Amino acid sequence: MRNEEKDQRERPGRLRVALGALSGLLSGFAALAVAELVAAAVRPQSSPVIAVGAASIDATPAAVKDWAIRHFGTDDKLVLQLGILAALTVLAVALGVLAVRFRRIGAAGVLLFGAVGAAAAVGRPDSTGFADTLPSVVGAVAGAVLLYVLVGRLTTVRPSPVSTPGSATGQAGQGRPVSTGWDRRGFVLTAASAAAASAVVGAVGRSLDASRGRGAIASRDKLVLPSPTSPARPIPKRARLRVPGISPFVTPDSDFYRVDTALVVPKVDATTWRLRIHGKGVRRPATYSFDDLLRRELIERDITLTCVSNEVGGPYVGNARWIGVRLADLLAECGVAPPSRGGPADQLVSRSVDGMTIGTPVEDVMDGRDAMLAFGMNGRPLPFEHGFPVRMVVPGLYGFVSACKWIDDIELTTFDSYDPYWVKRGWARRAPVKTESRIDTPKPFARPKSGTVMVAGVAWAQHRGVDKVEVRIDDGPWQEADLAAEDTRDTWRQWSLPWRATKGGHTLTVRATDRTGAVQTDKRTRTIPDGASGQHSVVVTVE
Ligand SMILES: Nc1nc2c(c(=O)[nH]1)N[C@H]1C(S)=C(S)[C@@H](COP(=O)(O)O)O[C@H]1N2
Ligand SMILES: [Mo]
């Protein structure tokens, strides 16, 4: 008898468990909505989902990150955020169910997750300090209070109505509150108004967030690119082959691959942007404004950019026309000498507004190649995704050791004394682009008709130049492909080969030879630590 009553009081029924789960979900939703609103006021990067996401990106082992990039491509960030939201949903439901029995512990659990978010936010390299904790903390408090109140409605306790001393029921009821059902009306009202309020708060947060970058957007909109002192030479007509399915010689901005760790694309206002150059052996440290750069001698160059995470045959390579200042000029002005002329610094570390660090050999950027600080891409100001207002571009080096986007600081140092972001995660300190080629058409598993089939693609060996491309059908001899004219040795070259295709399955393989005479190896290596090598093959069935 007593046991039965006790059970009834302490073991929540199915309905209450379900309503507890719902309370958890609503509280989690409220916490995130409030956090978004506060983050819109503080900075978007301080939102708990973004901060935890960014922290997990940094903590992800290189191999897993590489896998994620390979499988989800540029959607990897979306997948990550959805993953975090899914995990939070499960946790919210669990805390809600827990709170039905242990109200305080459930609410405290919500606060604990707020603490995790806050810690992640202040731990970011670009954190601006204590204010970054506010979205997580304020959101968690709102969520915890809501959970406490909602679950309270599920466990309305009143003294037993009839509790005559000595009566049979009296013993259990005496002095002790006994749950006599729950406050249905109160629960529904609280839950509904909390859901509505969260939706409104979340929406306001979102719209505030959208209007945040207005200064940056305006500074980009009104930027008119000055004409370069040293224009790029016109792209030779014969640099472009007219083969359907081949990568266009100049990659349109919208198709240009994007690889970075930024969950929120930094929106930097060019009018307040500054670049600082300082460090070892910098005899005249300096700070430049955007206008300072615009007023300098400007160069315009076609340069092909490649990501070290690009698999053989992969998409992370693009060619663009960049406008900016020659990096070596700025460095010389600051009194920097390369190691070959006695300079004490062999590593140039560039930093971005979002805390990225990238290390580049000082020798390379001062050896006469067109290493630049670019603010124009394909005739327009840099898109925000590609680093507005200013990024680095260095011909011949993979992006992770050269192409810092949203750059705001250059420090001269040594390879011995400092490891930048990717190096800390197992990637190489020095990484020139490997000679590679790719078959763009036919596509893998295509079913072309027998007869003449155009095999075509691109080949790159930036700063060395491509001299030859060969194609092999099955185990046949290597056949020399037609090479499109070279634009510069810093750009890729298109190639094509008309193939007399015979019925059946065939494997097409391509290899390039660069100007040093080195033939693209058939030895496959992984992307980590310094870029994939190997030859690209495509299997087709001719009908
Ligand atoms: N701030 C910042 N700059 C960055 C990165 C980054 O994660 N953050 N990624 C680098 C890498 S790995 C590459 S390959 C290039 C890619 O430039 P894109 O996105 O404009 O193609 O940017 C480089 N610059
Ligand atoms: Mo990269």
Side-chain angles (χ1 to χ4, degrees):
M1 169 73 173
R2 275 194 68 153
N3 277 346
E4 241 170 63
E5 276 179 3
K6 207 174 163 202
D7 275 2
Q8 260 186 1
R9 187 164 62 86
E10 291 191 350
R11 186 180 301 149
R14 266 199 213 144
L15 177 65
R16 273 170 61 208
V17 170
L19 291 174
L22 177 65
S23 305
L25 274 180
L26 286 173
S27 306
F29 179 45
L32 286 184
V34 169
E36 283 307 304
L37 180 65
V38 179
V42 179
R43 8 175 259 131
Q45 290 86 345
S46 63
S47 124
V49 178
I50 299 295
V52 170
S56 35
I57 289 180
D58 289 358
T60 305
V64 177
K65 192 163 356 194
D66 206 43
W67 175 87
I69 291 177
R70 223 173 313 134
H71 286 260
F72 306 120
T74 307
D75 291 336
D76 58 342
K77 297 188 183 74
L78 182 63
V79 171
L80 174 70
Q81 291 192 62
L82 291 178
I84 291 173
L85 285 179
L88 284 177
T89 305
V90 172
L91 285 167
V93 167
L95 285 175
V97 171
L98 181 72
V100 174
R101 274 183 98 164
F102 309 101
R103 204 169 152 202
R104 294 218 178 113
I105 298 181
V110 177
L111 293 178
L112 189 67
F113 282 99
V116 171
V122 281
R124 303 302 309 140
D126 58 339
S127 170
T128 49
F130 171 75
D132 285 343
T133 63
L134 290 177
S136 295
V137 169
V138 179
V141 168
V145 168
L146 180 61
L147 184 60
Y148 193 79
V149 169
L150 274 177
V151 172
R153 302 273 187 266
L154 292 177
T155 50
T156 306
V157 282
R158 297 185 206 120
S160 193
V162 222
S163 57
T164 331
S167 77
T169 53
Q171 282 209 310
Q174 188 84 72
R176 256 199 275 170
V178 167
S179 161
T180 58
W182 55 290
D183 180 359
R184 214 166 296 218
R185 210 177 112 84
F187 181 85
V188 171
L189 272 179
T190 314
S193 36
S198 304
V200 170
V201 164
V204 171
R206 277 288 146 99
S207 69
L208 273 180
D209 205 43
S211 66
R212 257 188 87 87
R214 255 187 309 197
I217 294 167
S219 74
R220 183 174 180 276
D221 285 347
K222 69 166 196 272
L223 172 61
V224 180
L225 291 178
S227 42
T229 333
S230 163
R233 67 176 201 130
I235 296 167
K237 243 211 184 105
R238 291 185 310 111
R240 303 177 205 254
L241 300 178
R242 240 172 306 196
V243 179
I246 200 171
S247 302
F249 181 74
V250 175
T251 314
D253 294 1
S254 54
D255 293 345
F256 206 97
Y257 80 91
R258 177 187 161 204
V259 170
D260 57 56
T261 59
L263 283 172
V264 177
V265 174
K267 293 256 163 61
V268 181
D269 187 334
T271 56
T272 53
W273 174 87
R274 295 288 182 276
L275 172 71
R276 187 172 159 233
I277 300 183
H278 61 110
K280 216 178 170 65
V282 182
R283 276 177 287 144
R284 294 176 292 277
T287 299
Y288 298 90
S289 70
F290 195 71
D291 278 339
D292 292 338
L293 296 194
L294 288 181
R295 279 193 295 263
R296 300 180 67 91
E297 277 192 11
L298 302 181
I299 60 172
E300 178 189 53
R301 295 291 183 267
D302 298 334
I303 298 167
T304 299
L305 199 65
T306 313
C307 180
V308 70
S309 293
N310 195 44
E311 296 280 314
V312 171
Y316 301 136
V317 51
N319 183 42
R321 175 161 284 196
W322 311 91
I323 294 184
V325 302
R326 191 189 288 279
L327 181 54
D329 291 351
L330 275 187
L331 293 175
E333 189 171 279
C334 296
V336 175
S340 61
R341 279 190 273 126
D346 60 1
Q347 181 176 221
L348 180 155
V349 172
S350 42
R351 292 192 168 79
S352 70
V353 299
D354 64 331
M356 174 53 61
T357 53
I358 284 181
T360 312
V362 177
E363 199 62 55
D364 289 355
V365 299
M366 299 189 83
D367 71 357
R369 75 182 78 192
D370 293 319
M372 58 197 289
L373 291 176
F375 43 76
M377 180 178 183
N378 293 337
R380 282 177 298 276
L382 276 181
F384 287 108
E385 292 79 14
H386 295 293
F388 184 85
V390 180
R391 75 172 305 166
M392 245 169 80
V393 179
V394 182
L397 305 182
Y398 285 117
F400 83 110
V401 288
S402 67
C404 190
K405 306 193 274 189
W406 314 293
I407 190 173
D408 69 350
D409 189 284
I410 288 178
E411 182 183 353
L412 278 291
T413 178
T414 60
F415 279 103
D416 280 344
S417 63
Y418 184 78
D419 282 340
Y421 184 93
W422 298 105
V423 175
K424 286 198 187 93
R425 288 162 177 76
W427 297 83
R429 289 198 172 80
R430 296 166 188 265
V433 176
K434 295 183 177 174
T435 299
E436 275 294 331
S437 50
R438 180 176 77 192
I439 299 171
D440 289 336
T441 183
K443 295 271 174 252
F445 312 114
R447 308 183 76 88
K449 296 229 153 49
S450 63
T452 302
V453 171
M454 270 299 191
V455 185
V458 284
W460 60 90
Q462 291 93 311
H463 210 55
R464 297 184 297 278
V466 171
D467 265 356
K468 185 158 81 173
V469 170
E470 296 161 291
V471 175
R472 191 173 63 177
I473 313 295
D474 302 318
D475 293 324
W478 286 103
Q479 306 176 46
E480 200 164 335
D482 299 320
L483 259 187
E486 181 174 82
D487 178 11
T488 77
R489 61 186 173 134
D490 296 335
T491 54
W492 60 12
R493 285 177 87 167
Q494 296 181 334
W495 58 266
S496 70
L497 180 86
W499 166 44
R500 287 271 181 70
T502 53
K503 279 199 177 130
H506 295 287
T507 303
L508 317 177
T509 307
V510 64
R511 72 176 185 192
T513 302
D514 66 30
R515 202 148 300 151
T516 70
V519 181
Q520 178 182 339
T521 176
D522 63 351
K523 226 183 115 226
R524 285 245 170 189
T525 63
R526 301 192 304 161
T527 55
I528 304 174
D530 62 355
S533 68
Q535 295 168 354
H536 187 212
S537 286
V538 165
V539 175
V540 299
T541 307
V542 179
E543 306 200 306

